[in-house]
Amino acid sequence: MIETGYQIKYPTILQQGKWYLYERLVDRFGEENVKVTFGWITSEKRKELGLEKDHWLDACSMLDTNKIETRPFLVILKRRRKEINNLTKKRKTFKGFKHWDFVKAIRGGKKVFGVIRSLKERALTLRTSFDNNFEVSYSKTKLLWRPQGLVYILN
C-alpha cells in the first residue's frame, strides 16, 4: 500500500540539489573560490550596473565585479551534411582553411573578422557581423581559431 500522507515539495528537492552541488564545488575548488548568491542579490546588482533584464546579463551581474566586458554568443552545431553538387561545400580543406574557421582578413585596408562560409578557387567567403557573403582573398586571411564540434557566433 502506498502512503499518501507524505508529499515532497518541488522547491525542497531543488534546494537540496543546490546545496549538494555547492558542496561538490567547494570540495573541488575550495570555499574561498565558491560563492552563493540569490535572485534578489542578482537583481540588485544588475540594476546597480544599469543592465537590462536578460539571462546572460543576470549571469554577468553575479560576477564579483563592477566591470563587464562580454558579449552573448549563439552556439550552434556544425553542419555535417555533405553537399553533392557544390564544390565549395564538398571541400574539407582548401589552402589550409576549413569551413567554420574563425579568421581575420584585410580587405580595402580594413580588418574584418568572420567565419568561413565557403572555400572557392580564388577567394573564400565569410559570415561577418555585417555581411553573410563577404569575399576575401586567401593571401590576406589569417586563421585565428578552429572550432571542435561547436560553433560560437556573436549575437
Side-chain angles (χ1 to χ4, degrees):
M1 186 166 159
I2 299 174
E3 228 179 281
T4 57
Y6 182 72
Q7 185 178 10
I8 297 174
K9 300 286 184 190
Y10 175 74
T12 306
I13 291 177
L14 187 62
Q15 278 304 113
Q16 289 173 351
K18 286 181 181 178
W19 288 114
Y20 174 82
L21 177 61
Y22 172 77
E23 290 169 2
R24 300 294 81 71
L25 291 171
V26 167
D27 289 346
R28 183 163 183 186
F29 300 108
E31 197 165 352
E32 65 280 353
N33 296 318
V34 179
K35 295 182 181 175
V36 175
T37 190
F38 298 93
W40 65 271
I41 297 171
T42 302
S43 177
E44 282 183 6
K45 184 71 171 180
R46 183 175 38 78
K47 289 172 186 171
E48 177 187 319
L49 293 168
L51 302 173
E52 62 188 50
K53 176 75 175 123
D54 201 338
H55 185 72
W56 76 276
L57 291 172
D58 282 346
C60 291
S61 64
M62 283 191 264
L63 300 172
D64 194 17
T65 182
N66 286 330
K67 187 176 182 182
I68 295 177
E69 294 180 20
T70 186
R71 293 186 277 177
F73 288 86
L74 172 66
V75 180
I76 59 174
L77 291 173
K78 289 195 314 186
R79 175 188 263 188
R80 299 253 184 228
R81 191 182 89 196
K82 290 184 180 177
E83 298 286 340
I84 298 168
N85 296 323
N86 187 344
L87 184 61
T88 65
K89 301 287 184 191
K90 276 170 106 176
R91 292 185 174 137
K92 292 189 179 199
T93 62
F94 190 67
K95 297 189 178 183
F97 295 102
K98 287 184 175 184
H99 288 270
W100 295 104
D101 283 351
F102 184 64
V103 297
K104 175 176 76 171
I106 297 174
R107 186 172 112 177
K110 294 184 180 181
K111 289 181 188 177
V112 178
F113 296 90
V115 177
I116 295 178
R117 179 182 175 95
S118 66
L119 303 164
K120 299 178 181 176
E121 194 67 34
R122 296 184 334 155
L124 51 87
T125 305
L126 302 178
R127 288 179 177 93
T128 66
S129 60
F130 56 88
D131 189 355
N132 213 19
N133 289 308
F134 191 78
E135 280 197 7
V136 292
S137 100
Y138 285 98
S139 62
K140 295 184 179 184
T141 305
K142 179 182 175 188
L143 175 66
L144 296 177
W145 180 67
R146 178 163 287 156
Q148 304 295 321
L150 291 177
V151 178
Y152 304 88
I153 300 173
L154 283 174
N155 234 354

